[in-house]
Amino acid sequence: MTVTDTTMQLETLETRPDATAPRPTGLHRAPSTRFRQAAPWKRGLILASLALLLGLLMMLHAQFPNRIGNLGSLLETFLPWFGLFIPVLLAGALWRRSASAMLALLLPVAVWLSLFGGLLTDKSHAGGDVTVASHNVGAANSDPSGTARKLIASGAHVLALQEITEQARSTYEKELAKAYPYHTVQNTVGLWSKLPLSNTKPVDTMIDYGPLASTKSDEDKMASTRALRTTVATSKGPLAVYVAHLGSVRVNPRGGFSTGHRDRGVQALGKAIATERNPRTVLLGDLNGTTTDRAFKALTSQMRSTQTTAGDGFGFTWPAKFPIARIDQILVKGVAPTSSWVLPTTGSDHLPVAAAIKW
């Protein structure tokens, strides 16, 4: 062998792949493939956890205690708005291309729809024997005359007003007199009607409570009450109507979500309606709370919300400029609501509500 042949053989060995080196095989490439296949499930685990937490929060809302700052009531008051977190989490899941987050989102979607999906459809029907309306006219309302005219335009047979001030009372009485020949006012709540009224009396909502309350006479207590009961004579027979303005809810850093006055009023109203002899009963008023709040069980266990039964949408009423909660309620027992709706804005910070009922 010549020197030239030896050199060529060495060059060939240097450029040829090492025959002894392990070649990549399918067995060695598999881990890489499996990783690519599992990546969508491994991405977005935090988003998936948040979605599951959101679903459990809505599903188990009744388990949250009220012992600390009425946390449970606060949660239930704004429970519908928790649905806004769903599209946010969905956007994050799509951005991260996370299959696990997408799957986890099924829980909050299912829970929210089971709680509020029925409110997304129009359940109203034509007809009705009597139309009722309710409005917290607002103590700071600078246009009571305009408010009265708008309420007359609703065509309601029975109209309940709350938060009537001494200064505005005469204005409402004057403006509503022609359309509503019958009316009664108890402290800051009143009822105007196209139909005759009878058996009107104040209802004690336990605004006066505690050691000092025992020193007051019943007359003094009733002077500060914010609820009444009356009978409306309809062509179908007598209808018991309650009008109420329950205590305000307070939110502060130390006390949390304070609902003591309101909750006592709920219990008092619940007892009054439970002992009501007329089987056909309507409750109209600013209850300062939503029907999803557990504190209203004394009422919701025996009465139905017209908005839930025969409305279209959530029917939010407060604050008027950007409503976030329905705290102005029409609850019924012994009659069937055919439709329920929110009336146009007035000079108040609340929106009026109306409903048609039949029996």
Side-chain angles (χ1 to χ4, degrees):
M1 179 182 295
T2 63
V3 175
T4 302
D5 292 337
T6 303
T7 303
M8 291 178 63
Q9 288 179 356
L10 290 172
E11 290 176 352
T12 300
L13 289 172
E14 289 175 357
T15 57
R16 182 187 301 167
D18 187 357
T20 62
R23 293 184 179 182
T25 64
L27 195 60
H28 289 84
R29 287 195 297 269
S32 167
T33 303
R34 286 199 301 270
F35 176 78
R36 287 196 301 271
Q37 291 175 345
W41 296 99
K42 290 185 176 181
R43 289 195 295 263
L45 293 181
I46 294 179
L47 288 170
S49 300
L50 291 174
L52 292 174
L53 181 62
L54 176 63
L56 291 173
L57 182 66
M58 292 190 292
M59 184 168 61
L60 302 176
H61 65 87
Q63 307 304 317
F64 280 77
N66 256 346
R67 291 188 297 272
I68 303 175
N70 289 305
L71 178 62
S73 288
L74 179 62
L75 172 64
E76 289 165 341
T77 297
F78 299 104
L79 196 59
W81 291 97
F82 279 73
L84 292 179
F85 291 109
I86 293 175
V88 175
L89 292 172
L90 176 60
L94 292 173
W95 178 66
R96 291 283 291 140
R97 297 180 183 179
S98 171
S100 58
M102 293 290 289
L103 182 62
L105 274 170
L106 293 177
L107 177 62
V109 169
V111 173
W112 193 92
L113 288 176
S114 69
L115 291 172
F116 307 110
L119 294 173
L120 302 180
T121 59
D122 187 356
K123 299 174 290 300
S124 62
H125 303 282
D129 299 318
V130 176
T131 299
V132 298
S134 179
H135 188 29
N136 179 326
V137 292
N141 191 334
S142 61
D143 185 20
S145 296
T147 297
R149 289 192 295 269
K150 288 185 177 182
L151 293 174
I152 292 172
S154 70
H157 299 94
V158 177
L159 173 63
L161 302 186
Q162 305 90 46
E163 211 165 289
I164 305 170
T165 63
E166 284 294 330
Q167 296 82 358
R169 175 174 172 171
S170 60
T171 301
Y172 288 116
E173 290 176 330
K174 178 182 177 181
E175 295 290 342
L176 296 172
K178 186 176 180 179
Y180 299 95
Y182 308 97
H183 87 280
T184 179
V185 176
Q186 300 284 338
N187 195 22
T188 60
V189 299
L191 188 76
W192 276 257
S193 175
K194 295 181 179 182
L195 305 169
L197 305 177
S198 63
N199 300 323
T200 301
K201 62 180 181 180
V203 177
D204 185 6
T205 53
M206 300 185 69
I207 290 178
D208 287 308
Y209 179 81
L212 292 179
S214 61
T215 65
K216 293 186 177 181
S217 66
D218 290 340
E219 185 177 351
D220 289 335
K221 290 180 182 179
M222 289 303 182
S224 61
T225 194
R226 300 195 300 186
L228 65 84
R229 182 261 182 222
T230 192
T231 299
V232 179
T234 77
S235 60
K236 291 290 192 73
L239 177 70
V241 176
Y242 288 75
V243 181
H245 183 195
L246 297 185
S248 299
V249 172
R250 305 297 181 187
V251 180
N252 59 73
R254 292 186 178 182
F257 192 62
S258 177
T259 62
H261 286 292
R262 184 203 67 181
D263 294 350
R264 286 193 296 273
V266 171
Q267 295 299 318
L269 276 178
K271 290 179 180 178
I273 291 171
T275 58
E276 172 62 49
R277 294 184 178 182
N278 193 327
R280 295 180 290 271
T281 305
V282 175
L283 170 60
L284 307 165
D286 172 11
L287 303 187
N288 271 309
T290 66
T291 54
T292 54
D293 187 339
R294 70 189 67 178
F296 285 85
K297 188 175 181 180
L299 292 172
T300 56
S301 62
Q302 57 181 324
M303 307 188 81
R304 295 185 295 168
S305 163
T306 60
Q307 184 66 24
T308 302
T309 307
D312 181 12
F314 289 93
F316 293 148
T317 62
W318 180 88
K321 291 184 178 179
F322 187 81
I324 60 173
R326 183 181 176 88
I327 64 174
D328 301 273
Q329 307 290 350
I330 301 178
L331 305 180
V332 298
K333 181 175 73 169
V335 297
T338 57
S339 57
S340 184
W341 63 97
V342 177
L343 294 168
T345 182
T346 69
S348 171
D349 58 340
H350 291 244
L351 292 176
V353 292
I357 58 175
K358 68 176 184 179
W359 64 93

